[in-house]
Amino acid sequence: MASLHWHSAIEALINHPLFLIGVTIFLYSISNWIFEKLGRLGLLHPILVCIVVLGFGLHYFHVSYQHYFHAVEVLYWLLGTATVALAVPLFDQMSRIKALFIPIIVTLFVTGVAGVFFIWSVASLLGLPEKIILSLLSRSITTPIAIGVTEEIGGYPSLAAVFVIFVGLVGTVIGLPILKAIGVKDYADQGLAMGFSAHAIGTARAFQENEMCGAFAALGMGIMGLATAILLPFIFS
Amino acid sequence: MKIIGGVFMTGFIYLVLFQLLGEFIVRLLDLHISGAVMGMLVLLFFYSVKKAIFARDLPESLRRTSHWLIPYLPLLLLPVSVGVVDQLSILKQHGLALLFCLVGATILSLVVSGLTFKFFLTRCAQ
C-alpha cells in the first residue's frame, strides 16, 4: 500500500481548523461517559480529567495555550450563550425563589462576609502579599466578573482567574459530598451552596444532580457575582 | 427533523439576542459584570414580566434549546479552565498558603451557605 499518502493525510487532519475542537469534544465525551459509569466520583469529574489530559497533551506536543484557546474559541462564545440559557430553569423555579427571597439574600450576605473575612485574616496570618490577597477575594465568582472586580480593587487579574478555576474544581469535587455529610439534603439548598461557593463549574455539577439543584446553583452564581462586583470595589478601594 | 431543527435555531437566536443585549447593557452602564450573566438576568426579567401581564409561558423553542445546551456547560468551560496549567509556576512560590486559603474558604462557604439556608428552610416548613 505504498500509494497511500499517510503523511500528508495526518498533516491535513491535525492542521484542520476544527481539529482541536474535535479532540476536546471527543475527550470530554469519553471522560463524561467514564464519570457517569463509575458513579460520579468527584476526582473523575470530566472538567478535571480533561484539564489534566489536555494540559499534558499541549505540553507534550508543544502547543501553546494561546494557540489552543484560539482554536477552541467557539466553545468559549457558546459558554456565554449557555449562561443566558440558565434563565430558563430559573424561570421554572421562580415561584420557589420568590417564596424564599429573603432567606436567599440573608444567606448570600452571611456567606459573602464569612468568605471575605476568612480569606483576609488567614491570608494575612500566612504572610501573603496584599496584592495576592486582593486577588483571592473574588475566588468564588465566575471568571469574567472576577477579572473585572480584581482589576478594580488592585489585585492581579490573571492570578484571580486561576484561583477562580481552582476553587470551581475544588467545589465540584468536594461540594456535594460535604453538603450531604453535614445534613444538607434539600436540592435547592445544595444548589444554592454550590452556586455561591463554586460559581459556573459548581453550577454545571449541580445540573448533573437535578434540575432544581442546577436552577438554584445558577441563581446563587448570578447573585453572588452581582453582589461581589458591586460591594468588593466599594469596600476595598 | 426539519421542524425540530427550526425550533432549535429559533431558541438559539433568542439566546444570542439576549446575550448581545446583556453585553450592550453592561458596556452602556460601565458595570463590571459579564455580559452573559446580565443577559441571563434580562431574559429572566423580560419573561417574568410578560408572564405577570399576559399570563404567557416561555417560548417552547427557548426551553428546548436551553435544555439541550445546559448539560454541555462543563465542556464549554474547558477553553478558560485549561489556562490553569499555563500558570502553575506562579502558584509554586506561595503554593501551600494559597492552597490552604482557597480550599478552606471553599469548605467554609459551602458549610455556611448550606447550613444558613437550611436553618430558614426548616423554620419555613414548621
Side-chain angles (χ1 to χ4, degrees):
Chain A
M1 284 291 188
S3 59
L4 286 177
H5 303 289
W6 283 103
H7 191 76
S8 56
I10 291 171
E11 191 108 304
L13 185 69
I14 58 176
N15 287 323
H16 196 279
L18 283 173
F19 178 70
L20 283 171
I21 293 184
V23 168
T24 304
I25 293 178
F26 181 67
L27 193 63
Y28 174 78
S29 308
I30 291 179
S31 47
N32 198 39
W33 183 79
I34 295 172
F35 177 67
E36 294 290 345
K37 279 284 165 204
L38 296 182
R40 299 180 176 175
L41 294 168
L43 278 174
L44 284 178
H45 194 275
I47 286 199
L48 202 57
V49 174
C50 287
I51 289 177
V52 173
V53 175
L54 285 169
F56 275 113
L58 295 183
H59 184 74
Y60 186 79
F61 292 106
H62 304 288
V63 180
S64 72
Y65 172 62
Q66 279 73 21
H67 178 85
Y68 173 76
F69 185 84
H70 189 68
V72 297
E73 207 169 356
V74 144
L75 297 179
Y76 176 68
W77 296 334
L78 279 176
L79 173 63
T81 315
T83 307
V84 178
L86 292 173
V88 171
L90 277 178
F91 181 89
D92 290 336
Q93 299 293 337
M94 216 44 192
S95 58
R96 185 134 197 239
I97 290 168
K98 269 184 196 154
L100 293 167
F101 185 72
I102 290 170
I104 289 170
I105 298 298
V106 174
T107 309
L108 167 72
F109 279 98
V110 173
T111 310
V113 170
V116 168
F117 186 75
F118 177 88
I119 295 238
W120 192 264
S121 48
V122 173
S124 311
L125 218 68
L126 292 171
L128 288 171
E130 192 181 321
K131 272 197 100 165
I132 292 188
I133 303 180
L134 289 170
S135 322
L136 280 165
L137 291 173
S138 59
R139 91 236 167 264
S140 68
I141 57 174
T142 188
T143 324
I145 308 183
I147 289 174
V149 171
T150 308
E151 252 166 16
E152 192 92 339
I153 62 174
Y156 303 107
S158 63
L159 208 53
V162 178
F163 296 158
V164 166
I165 304 291
F166 180 76
V167 162
L169 293 174
V170 171
T172 298
V173 172
I174 66 172
L176 289 171
I178 283 191
L179 289 168
K180 283 171 189 165
I182 59 168
V184 173
K185 295 199 177 71
D186 188 279
Y187 287 126
D189 197 351
Q190 291 178 352
L192 199 68
M194 288 294 272
F196 279 166
S197 313
H199 54 88
I201 306 184
T203 300
R205 177 67 188 90
F207 267 108
Q208 290 171 324
E209 206 62 14
N210 72 30
E211 187 93 344
M212 185 187 276
C213 193
F216 273 78
L219 176 76
M221 172 189 86
I223 58 174
M224 183 57 99
L226 273 178
T228 312
I230 295 165
L231 292 180
L232 266 192
F234 186 70
I235 303 168
F236 287 95
S237 57
Chain B
M1 210 48 210
K2 205 177 173 186
I3 295 164
I4 293 168
V7 167
F8 177 81
M9 275 318 283
T10 315
F12 197 76
I13 290 165
Y14 276 122
L15 290 176
V16 171
L17 284 179
F18 276 99
Q19 187 182 358
L20 293 174
L21 184 64
E23 209 70 59
F24 179 78
I25 292 173
V26 164
R27 289 293 149 94
L28 187 71
L29 302 176
D30 195 25
L31 299 171
H32 296 270
I33 299 169
S34 97
V37 170
M38 180 55 86
M40 171 181 101
L41 294 171
V42 173
L43 194 155
L44 187 64
F45 179 75
F46 179 80
Y47 284 105
S48 298
V49 170
K50 200 176 165 194
K51 190 186 177 186
I53 298 174
F54 302 105
R56 290 262 290 276
D57 197 26
L58 282 178
E60 183 58 27
S61 58
L62 195 57
R63 205 175 274 280
R64 265 196 213 177
T65 310
S66 298
H67 283 218
W68 176 83
L69 199 55
I70 288 170
Y72 289 104
L73 267 175
L75 169 69
L76 303 179
L77 284 158
L78 278 175
V80 195
S81 309
V82 173
V84 170
V85 178
D86 220 27
Q87 309 247 13
L88 285 178
S89 59
I90 306 172
L91 301 175
K92 274 186 186 150
Q93 202 186 347
H94 300 286
L96 220 61
L98 290 175
L99 194 73
F100 188 77
C101 277
L102 291 171
V103 175
T106 307
I107 295 174
L108 180 84
S109 169
L110 284 163
V111 172
V112 168
S113 55
L115 290 184
T116 310
F117 200 57
K118 190 187 176 185
F119 167 76
F120 286 110
L121 284 179
T122 42
R123 235 187 46 165
C124 286
Q126 274 163 13

